[in-house]
Each structure stands twice: as C-alpha cells, then as structure tokens.
C-alpha cells in the first residue's frame, strides 16, 4: 500500500505566477486543495478522510492521508504520515521553516509531533469540536510555557473539508443501518 496519493499538478491560477509574489490566502487555498486530494484518497480506502501536505519554501515536501485502519496503526494519522515522509526526505527530524496543511484540526498526538518537529506554521480546514487542540477543545499551541511556538491558522476551505467528512460519516451510518436487522 503506498504511503500517500500522488500530488496533483498545480492549479492553473498558480502556474503563471511567481509563488513568492502570490497572496498568502491564495497559496493557503492551493495547498489545502492538495490536502483535500489526500483526504479523498483516505475516503476511497475507507479511512476517515483527512489529508495533509508539508510545504517548505513554497514547494510540497511530503503528503499523507489517514491510514490507521489499513496500517493497523493508531498513530497513522494524515499529519504523522506526512511529517514522517517530510523528515525522511529532508534528512532531519526537525522541520524548521515548514508548514503543514491539514483538512481537520489536529489532535493532541499530532500537535505534539508538530511541536517536536519545530514546524513554523500549521494551517487547518475544519474545526474538530471533539478532539481538536488548536482552539476547539484545547489550544496547545497557545501555551507560553512550551519551548516552541507555531503559528496556527484555521478555517481555510473549511466548508469543503467539512462536507467531505459529513458525507463520509453519513455513508457509514447508512451502511450500518442497512446491516442491522429490524
């Protein structure tokens, strides 16, 4: 099983411009669309549709999608898969200057890994009101006593990410109802 789906070609609105001169919001949306494509791969494999992309200097370094069921690994969240691939590619467990784009607000495990990796920035799409720790349940990144501080931005393409998650869980509930005898 591959670690991640292939990265799609850049969006047409980004091809003609210099990435340094593009508006940050446009770049955030672009990289989040790549994360959404990874989430689609998870969805296709029956995993909770969460995708992640690690970016350094405007270039995709690594991608990942949720795989805990298929890998029989509770740590195989999209963020962890992408962080491991980025660390391997860059030859360092620290990822300074990197940003991670993820379609769902990170949990405590993933946020801890992001802090240890020394990410410069985390951008997420949909909030997670049950396990999100970028402000929904807790805000681990806001604790001044921690030795590394990461910039966090939420809500980028949140509607698209939320729709994918809602659709996935609606399908799962419908399948469960069909399998239950009256």
């Amino acid at each position: 099983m591959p670690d991640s789906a292939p990265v799609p070609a850049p969006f047409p609105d980004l091809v003609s411009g210099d990435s340094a001169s593009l508006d940050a919001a446009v770049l955030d949306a672009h990289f989040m669309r790549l994360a959404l494509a990874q989430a689609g791969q998870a969805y296709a494999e029956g995993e909770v549709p969460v995708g992640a992309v690690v970016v350094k200097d405007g270039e995709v370094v690594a991608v990942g999608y949720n795989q805990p069921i298929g890998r029989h690994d509770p740590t195989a969240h999209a963020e962890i898969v992408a962080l491991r691939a980025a660390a391997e590619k860059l030859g360092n467990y620290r990822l300074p200057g990197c940003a991670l784009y993820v379609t769902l607000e990170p949990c405590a495990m993933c946020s801890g890994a992001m802090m240890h990796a020394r990410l410069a920035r985390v951008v997420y799409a949909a909030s997670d009101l049950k396990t999100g720790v970028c402000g929904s349940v807790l805000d681990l990144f806001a604790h001044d006593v921690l030795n590394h501080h990461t910039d966090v931005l939420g809500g980028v393409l949140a509607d698209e990410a939320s729709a994918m998650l809602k659709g996935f869980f609606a399908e799962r509930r419908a399948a469960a109802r069909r399998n239950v005898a009256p």
Side-chain angles (χ1 to χ4, degrees), residues 111-150:
S111 295
M114 291 172 200
M115 286 182 213
H116 283 288
R118 304 293 194 259
L119 289 178
R121 190 164 183 247
V122 173
V123 180
Y124 67 91
S127 295
D128 185 343
L129 302 178
K130 294 183 180 180
T131 64
V133 297
C134 295
S136 290
V137 176
L138 299 171
D139 192 348
L140 288 181
F141 292 98
H143 287 274
D144 291 334
V145 297
L146 297 173
N147 68 336
H148 178 70
H149 301 282
T150 302

mmCIF file of all heavy atoms in Angstrom, residues 111-150:
data_model
loop_
_atom_site.group_PDB
_atom_site.id
_atom_site.type_symbol
_atom_site.label_atom_id
_atom_site.label_comp_id
_atom_site.label_asym_id
_atom_site.label_seq_id
_atom_site.Cartn_x
_atom_site.Cartn_y
_atom_site.Cartn_z
ATOM 1 N N SER A 111 -0.492 17.314 17.167
ATOM 2 C CA SER A 111 0.018 18.629 17.551
ATOM 3 C C SER A 111 1.334 18.504 18.304
ATOM 4 O O SER A 111 2.255 19.296 18.082
ATOM 5 C CB SER A 111 -1.015 19.375 18.398
ATOM 6 O OG SER A 111 -2.162 19.636 17.626
ATOM 7 N N GLY A 112 1.449 17.520 19.174
ATOM 8 C CA GLY A 112 2.710 17.289 19.873
ATOM 9 C C GLY A 112 3.829 16.968 18.903
ATOM 10 O O GLY A 112 4.950 17.484 19.021
ATOM 11 N N ALA A 113 3.546 16.136 17.917
ATOM 12 C CA ALA A 113 4.553 15.802 16.903
ATOM 13 C C ALA A 113 4.954 17.041 16.107
ATOM 14 O O ALA A 113 6.134 17.230 15.781
ATOM 15 C CB ALA A 113 4.026 14.713 15.975
ATOM 16 N N MET A 114 3.982 17.900 15.806
ATOM 17 C CA MET A 114 4.268 19.130 15.063
ATOM 18 C C MET A 114 5.185 20.046 15.859
ATOM 19 O O MET A 114 6.111 20.654 15.307
ATOM 20 C CB MET A 114 2.965 19.851 14.723
ATOM 21 C CG MET A 114 2.113 19.134 13.715
ATOM 22 S SD MET A 114 0.516 19.964 13.594
ATOM 23 C CE MET A 114 -0.451 18.656 12.861
ATOM 24 N N MET A 115 4.945 20.141 17.161
ATOM 25 C CA MET A 115 5.801 20.971 18.014
ATOM 26 C C MET A 115 7.215 20.400 18.072
ATOM 27 O O MET A 115 8.191 21.140 17.972
ATOM 28 C CB MET A 115 5.206 21.070 19.409
ATOM 29 C CG MET A 115 4.009 21.960 19.487
ATOM 30 S SD MET A 115 3.431 22.065 21.181
ATOM 31 C CE MET A 115 1.687 22.243 20.899
ATOM 32 N N HIS A 116 7.327 19.081 18.221
ATOM 33 C CA HIS A 116 8.652 18.450 18.273
ATOM 34 C C HIS A 116 9.385 18.601 16.940
ATOM 35 O O HIS A 116 10.615 18.689 16.920
ATOM 36 C CB HIS A 116 8.537 16.980 18.666
ATOM 37 C CG HIS A 116 8.287 16.790 20.115
ATOM 38 N ND1 HIS A 116 9.245 17.010 21.076
ATOM 39 C CD2 HIS A 116 7.169 16.418 20.767
ATOM 40 C CE1 HIS A 116 8.734 16.782 22.278
ATOM 41 N NE2 HIS A 116 7.468 16.422 22.120
ATOM 42 N N ALA A 117 8.645 18.636 15.846
ATOM 43 C CA ALA A 117 9.257 18.821 14.531
ATOM 44 C C ALA A 117 9.653 20.278 14.299
ATOM 45 O O ALA A 117 10.355 20.573 13.336
ATOM 46 C CB ALA A 117 8.296 18.363 13.432
ATOM 47 N N ARG A 118 9.199 21.156 15.156
ATOM 48 C CA ARG A 118 9.512 22.586 15.059
ATOM 49 C C ARG A 118 8.939 23.227 13.792
ATOM 50 O O ARG A 118 9.575 24.065 13.164
ATOM 51 C CB ARG A 118 11.013 22.854 15.136
ATOM 52 C CG ARG A 118 11.716 22.308 16.354
ATOM 53 C CD ARG A 118 11.261 23.036 17.615
ATOM 54 N NE ARG A 118 12.141 22.761 18.750
ATOM 55 C CZ ARG A 118 11.869 21.897 19.720
ATOM 56 N NH1 ARG A 118 10.758 21.179 19.672
ATOM 57 N NH2 ARG A 118 12.692 21.741 20.738
ATOM 58 N N LEU A 119 7.716 22.809 13.444
ATOM 59 C CA LEU A 119 7.054 23.431 12.297
ATOM 60 C C LEU A 119 6.890 24.929 12.538
ATOM 61 O O LEU A 119 6.623 25.364 13.658
ATOM 62 C CB LEU A 119 5.672 22.828 12.067
ATOM 63 C CG LEU A 119 5.607 21.405 11.530
ATOM 64 C CD1 LEU A 119 4.157 20.972 11.413
ATOM 65 C CD2 LEU A 119 6.308 21.287 10.201
ATOM 66 N N ALA A 120 7.012 25.696 11.482
ATOM 67 C CA ALA A 120 6.808 27.138 11.581
ATOM 68 C C ALA A 120 5.318 27.482 11.608
ATOM 69 O O ALA A 120 4.908 28.437 12.256
ATOM 70 C CB ALA A 120 7.475 27.846 10.412
ATOM 71 N N ARG A 121 4.522 26.646 10.908
ATOM 72 C CA ARG A 121 3.122 27.012 10.709
ATOM 73 C C ARG A 121 2.263 25.775 10.511
ATOM 74 O O ARG A 121 2.688 24.815 9.880
ATOM 75 C CB ARG A 121 3.055 27.887 9.455
ATOM 76 C CG ARG A 121 1.757 28.559 9.186
ATOM 77 C CD ARG A 121 1.966 29.676 8.149
ATOM 78 N NE ARG A 121 0.722 30.366 7.939
ATOM 79 C CZ ARG A 121 0.036 30.326 6.800
ATOM 80 N NH1 ARG A 121 0.493 29.663 5.758
ATOM 81 N NH2 ARG A 121 -1.093 30.983 6.698
ATOM 82 N N VAL A 122 1.046 25.833 11.041
ATOM 83 C CA VAL A 122 0.029 24.798 10.826
ATOM 84 C C VAL A 122 -1.224 25.500 10.317
ATOM 85 O O VAL A 122 -1.682 26.476 10.913
ATOM 86 C CB VAL A 122 -0.293 24.027 12.130
ATOM 87 C CG1 VAL A 122 -1.463 23.081 11.919
ATOM 88 C CG2 VAL A 122 0.934 23.276 12.632
ATOM 89 N N VAL A 123 -1.754 24.996 9.208
ATOM 90 C CA VAL A 123 -2.972 25.542 8.614
ATOM 91 C C VAL A 123 -3.967 24.393 8.521
ATOM 92 O O VAL A 123 -3.657 23.352 7.949
ATOM 93 C CB VAL A 123 -2.704 26.131 7.212
ATOM 94 C CG1 VAL A 123 -3.993 26.701 6.622
ATOM 95 C CG2 VAL A 123 -1.609 27.193 7.270
ATOM 96 N N TYR A 124 -5.146 24.572 9.109
ATOM 97 C CA TYR A 124 -6.145 23.510 9.038
ATOM 98 C C TYR A 124 -7.445 24.047 8.450
ATOM 99 O O TYR A 124 -7.687 25.244 8.417
ATOM 100 C CB TYR A 124 -6.363 22.849 10.405
ATOM 101 C CG TYR A 124 -7.005 23.714 11.460
ATOM 102 C CD1 TYR A 124 -8.383 23.734 11.623
ATOM 103 C CD2 TYR A 124 -6.232 24.487 12.320
ATOM 104 C CE1 TYR A 124 -8.974 24.514 12.597
ATOM 105 C CE2 TYR A 124 -6.811 25.267 13.302
ATOM 106 C CZ TYR A 124 -8.186 25.277 13.437
ATOM 107 O OH TYR A 124 -8.771 26.051 14.406
ATOM 108 N N ALA A 125 -8.257 23.110 7.982
ATOM 109 C CA ALA A 125 -9.525 23.471 7.346
ATOM 110 C C ALA A 125 -10.650 23.455 8.384
ATOM 111 O O ALA A 125 -10.982 24.483 8.967
ATOM 112 C CB ALA A 125 -9.820 22.525 6.184
ATOM 113 N N ALA A 126 -11.221 22.293 8.643
ATOM 114 C CA ALA A 126 -12.387 22.166 9.524
ATOM 115 C C ALA A 126 -11.976 22.055 10.985
ATOM 116 O O ALA A 126 -10.979 21.409 11.308
ATOM 117 C CB ALA A 126 -13.196 20.935 9.119
ATOM 118 N N SER A 127 -12.751 22.667 11.840
ATOM 119 C CA SER A 127 -12.544 22.514 13.286
ATOM 120 C C SER A 127 -13.020 21.145 13.722
ATOM 121 O O SER A 127 -13.924 20.572 13.117
ATOM 122 C CB SER A 127 -13.319 23.596 14.050
ATOM 123 O OG SER A 127 -12.799 24.873 13.740
ATOM 124 N N ASP A 128 -12.405 20.634 14.787
ATOM 125 C CA ASP A 128 -12.804 19.347 15.362
ATOM 126 C C ASP A 128 -13.244 19.601 16.798
ATOM 127 O O ASP A 128 -12.417 19.759 17.694
ATOM 128 C CB ASP A 128 -11.641 18.359 15.320
ATOM 129 C CG ASP A 128 -12.035 16.972 15.795
ATOM 130 O OD1 ASP A 128 -13.086 16.820 16.455
ATOM 131 O OD2 ASP A 128 -11.270 16.032 15.528
ATOM 132 N N LEU A 129 -14.554 19.646 16.991
ATOM 133 C CA LEU A 129 -15.112 20.009 18.290
ATOM 134 C C LEU A 129 -14.985 18.912 19.334
ATOM 135 O O LEU A 129 -15.310 19.139 20.499
ATOM 136 C CB LEU A 129 -16.579 20.416 18.118
ATOM 137 C CG LEU A 129 -16.817 21.583 17.153
ATOM 138 C CD1 LEU A 129 -18.300 21.884 17.022
ATOM 139 C CD2 LEU A 129 -16.036 22.809 17.566
ATOM 140 N N LYS A 130 -14.506 17.729 18.934
ATOM 141 C CA LYS A 130 -14.339 16.624 19.884
ATOM 142 C C LYS A 130 -12.892 16.423 20.308
ATOM 143 O O LYS A 130 -12.629 16.116 21.459
ATOM 144 C CB LYS A 130 -14.886 15.329 19.290
ATOM 145 C CG LYS A 130 -16.387 15.367 19.093
ATOM 146 C CD LYS A 130 -16.920 14.063 18.571
ATOM 147 C CE LYS A 130 -18.424 14.165 18.409
ATOM 148 N NZ LYS A 130 -19.006 12.926 17.904
ATOM 149 N N THR A 131 -11.949 16.565 19.374
ATOM 150 C CA THR A 131 -10.551 16.283 19.722
ATOM 151 C C THR A 131 -9.571 17.339 19.232
ATOM 152 O O THR A 131 -8.361 17.161 19.362
ATOM 153 C CB THR A 131 -10.103 14.907 19.167
ATOM 154 O OG1 THR A 131 -10.151 14.941 17.743
ATOM 155 C CG2 THR A 131 -10.972 13.782 19.693
ATOM 156 N N GLY A 132 -10.042 18.434 18.675
ATOM 157 C CA GLY A 132 -9.146 19.457 18.145
ATOM 158 C C GLY A 132 -8.451 20.249 19.238
ATOM 159 O O GLY A 132 -9.091 20.700 20.193
ATOM 160 N N VAL A 133 -7.140 20.415 19.080
ATOM 161 C CA VAL A 133 -6.382 21.129 20.109
ATOM 162 C C VAL A 133 -5.678 22.375 19.560
ATOM 163 O O VAL A 133 -4.634 22.787 20.039
ATOM 164 C CB VAL A 133 -5.381 20.207 20.849
ATOM 165 C CG1 VAL A 133 -6.106 19.101 21.590
ATOM 166 C CG2 VAL A 133 -4.333 19.659 19.917
ATOM 167 N N CYS A 134 -6.291 22.990 18.552
ATOM 168 C CA CYS A 134 -5.819 24.285 18.050
ATOM 169 C C CYS A 134 -6.832 25.355 18.410
ATOM 170 O O CYS A 134 -6.933 26.382 17.746
ATOM 171 C CB CYS A 134 -5.613 24.223 16.536
ATOM 172 S SG CYS A 134 -4.316 23.109 16.022
ATOM 173 N N GLY A 135 -7.630 25.091 19.425
ATOM 174 C CA GLY A 135 -8.608 26.055 19.899
ATOM 175 C C GLY A 135 -9.993 25.514 20.139
ATOM 176 O O GLY A 135 -10.763 26.106 20.884
ATOM 177 N N SER A 136 -10.350 24.376 19.550
ATOM 178 C CA SER A 136 -11.714 23.864 19.715
ATOM 179 C C SER A 136 -11.945 23.240 21.088
ATOM 180 O O SER A 136 -12.895 23.604 21.780
ATOM 181 C CB SER A 136 -12.042 22.847 18.625
ATOM 182 O OG SER A 136 -12.156 23.500 17.389
ATOM 183 N N VAL A 137 -11.100 22.304 21.483
ATOM 184 C CA VAL A 137 -11.209 21.667 22.800
ATOM 185 C C VAL A 137 -10.165 22.270 23.738
ATOM 186 O O VAL A 137 -10.471 22.649 24.857
ATOM 187 C CB VAL A 137 -11.035 20.133 22.702
ATOM 188 C CG1 VAL A 137 -11.060 19.498 24.083
ATOM 189 C CG2 VAL A 137 -12.126 19.527 21.821
ATOM 190 N N LEU A 138 -8.959 22.334 23.259
ATOM 191 C CA LEU A 138 -7.822 22.963 23.935
ATOM 192 C C LEU A 138 -7.084 23.783 22.893
ATOM 193 O O LEU A 138 -7.359 23.672 21.709
ATOM 194 C CB LEU A 138 -6.845 21.899 24.468
ATOM 195 C CG LEU A 138 -7.329 20.897 25.493
ATOM 196 C CD1 LEU A 138 -6.261 19.829 25.701
ATOM 197 C CD2 LEU A 138 -7.638 21.596 26.802
ATOM 198 N N ASP A 139 -6.102 24.552 23.345
ATOM 199 C CA ASP A 139 -5.215 25.228 22.399
ATOM 200 C C ASP A 139 -3.783 25.009 22.861
ATOM 201 O O ASP A 139 -3.198 25.841 23.557
ATOM 202 C CB ASP A 139 -5.539 26.710 22.278
ATOM 203 C CG ASP A 139 -4.829 27.359 21.097
ATOM 204 O OD1 ASP A 139 -3.923 26.718 20.514
ATOM 205 O OD2 ASP A 139 -5.167 28.505 20.766
ATOM 206 N N LEU A 140 -3.244 23.854 22.479
ATOM 207 C CA LEU A 140 -1.876 23.522 22.883
ATOM 208 C C LEU A 140 -0.862 24.521 22.352
ATOM 209 O O LEU A 140 0.127 24.824 23.009
ATOM 210 C CB LEU A 140 -1.490 22.120 22.398
ATOM 211 C CG LEU A 140 -2.151 20.953 23.113
ATOM 212 C CD1 LEU A 140 -1.641 19.630 22.535
ATOM 213 C CD2 LEU A 140 -1.880 20.999 24.613
ATOM 214 N N PHE A 141 -1.107 25.045 21.171
ATOM 215 C CA PHE A 141 -0.149 25.958 20.552
ATOM 216 C C PHE A 141 -0.097 27.315 21.249
ATOM 217 O O PHE A 141 0.836 28.084 21.036
ATOM 218 C CB PHE A 141 -0.476 26.135 19.068
ATOM 219 C CG PHE A 141 -0.247 24.879 18.269
ATOM 220 C CD1 PHE A 141 -1.298 24.029 17.961
ATOM 221 C CD2 PHE A 141 1.024 24.534 17.842
ATOM 222 C CE1 PHE A 141 -1.086 22.871 17.221
ATOM 223 C CE2 PHE A 141 1.250 23.375 17.110
ATOM 224 C CZ PHE A 141 0.189 22.541 16.803
ATOM 225 N N ALA A 142 -1.066 27.623 22.094
ATOM 226 C CA ALA A 142 -1.119 28.917 22.773
ATOM 227 C C ALA A 142 -0.401 28.917 24.120
ATOM 228 O O ALA A 142 -0.270 29.967 24.737
ATOM 229 C CB ALA A 142 -2.571 29.339 22.976
ATOM 230 N N HIS A 143 0.082 27.773 24.566
ATOM 231 C CA HIS A 143 0.742 27.701 25.875
ATOM 232 C C HIS A 143 2.139 28.298 25.810
ATOM 233 O O HIS A 143 3.042 27.759 25.163
ATOM 234 C CB HIS A 143 0.794 26.247 26.373
ATOM 235 C CG HIS A 143 -0.533 25.752 26.826
ATOM 236 N ND1 HIS A 143 -1.001 25.962 28.103
ATOM 237 C CD2 HIS A 143 -1.507 25.094 26.170
ATOM 238 C CE1 HIS A 143 -2.205 25.438 28.221
ATOM 239 N NE2 HIS A 143 -2.539 24.900 27.055
ATOM 240 N N ASP A 144 2.324 29.409 26.515
ATOM 241 C CA ASP A 144 3.609 30.106 26.513
ATOM 242 C C ASP A 144 4.728 29.310 27.164
ATOM 243 O O ASP A 144 5.893 29.547 26.876
ATOM 244 C CB ASP A 144 3.479 31.452 27.233
ATOM 245 C CG ASP A 144 2.624 32.435 26.454
ATOM 246 O OD1 ASP A 144 2.549 32.292 25.218
ATOM 247 O OD2 ASP A 144 2.037 33.331 27.080
ATOM 248 N N VAL A 145 4.391 28.357 28.052
ATOM 249 C CA VAL A 145 5.436 27.605 28.753
ATOM 250 C C VAL A 145 6.124 26.580 27.855
ATOM 251 O O VAL A 145 7.210 26.109 28.182
ATOM 252 C CB VAL A 145 4.889 26.903 30.014
ATOM 253 C CG1 VAL A 145 4.387 27.931 31.022
ATOM 254 C CG2 VAL A 145 3.792 25.927 29.671
ATOM 255 N N LEU A 146 5.529 26.258 26.729
ATOM 256 C CA LEU A 146 6.158 25.312 25.811
ATOM 257 C C LEU A 146 7.302 26.002 25.082
ATOM 258 O O LEU A 146 7.259 27.197 24.813
ATOM 259 C CB LEU A 146 5.130 24.761 24.819
ATOM 260 C CG LEU A 146 4.000 23.962 25.467
ATOM 261 C CD1 LEU A 146 2.943 23.604 24.442
ATOM 262 C CD2 LEU A 146 4.537 22.715 26.138
ATOM 263 N N ASN A 147 8.337 25.222 24.764
ATOM 264 C CA ASN A 147 9.550 25.840 24.218
ATOM 265 C C ASN A 147 9.511 26.125 22.728
ATOM 266 O O ASN A 147 10.428 26.738 22.206
ATOM 267 C CB ASN A 147 10.781 24.994 24.546
ATOM 268 C CG ASN A 147 10.785 23.669 23.817
ATOM 269 O OD1 ASN A 147 9.748 23.162 23.436
ATOM 270 N ND2 ASN A 147 11.959 23.098 23.630
ATOM 271 N N HIS A 148 8.511 25.682 22.011
ATOM 272 C CA HIS A 148 8.420 26.010 20.593
ATOM 273 C C HIS A 148 7.032 26.564 20.313
ATOM 274 O O HIS A 148 6.032 26.052 20.807
ATOM 275 C CB HIS A 148 8.659 24.787 19.698
ATOM 276 C CG HIS A 148 8.522 25.099 18.253
ATOM 277 N ND1 HIS A 148 9.430 25.880 17.577
ATOM 278 C CD2 HIS A 148 7.554 24.808 17.363
ATOM 279 C CE1 HIS A 148 9.036 26.029 16.323
ATOM 280 N NE2 HIS A 148 7.904 25.390 16.167
ATOM 281 N N HIS A 149 6.993 27.590 19.508
ATOM 282 C CA HIS A 149 5.716 28.227 19.180
ATOM 283 C C HIS A 149 5.508 28.199 17.668
ATOM 284 O O HIS A 149 6.380 28.588 16.903
ATOM 285 C CB HIS A 149 5.677 29.649 19.730
ATOM 286 C CG HIS A 149 5.862 29.656 21.208
ATOM 287 N ND1 HIS A 149 4.853 29.329 22.075
ATOM 288 C CD2 HIS A 149 6.957 29.860 21.975
ATOM 289 C CE1 HIS A 149 5.304 29.360 23.315
ATOM 290 N NE2 HIS A 149 6.591 29.680 23.277
ATOM 291 N N THR A 150 4.356 27.701 17.288
ATOM 292 C CA THR A 150 3.983 27.516 15.893
ATOM 293 C C THR A 150 2.805 28.421 15.575
ATOM 294 O O THR A 150 1.857 28.490 16.355
ATOM 295 C CB THR A 150 3.582 26.036 15.661
ATOM 296 O OG1 THR A 150 4.673 25.205 16.019
ATOM 297 C CG2 THR A 150 3.187 25.774 14.233
#
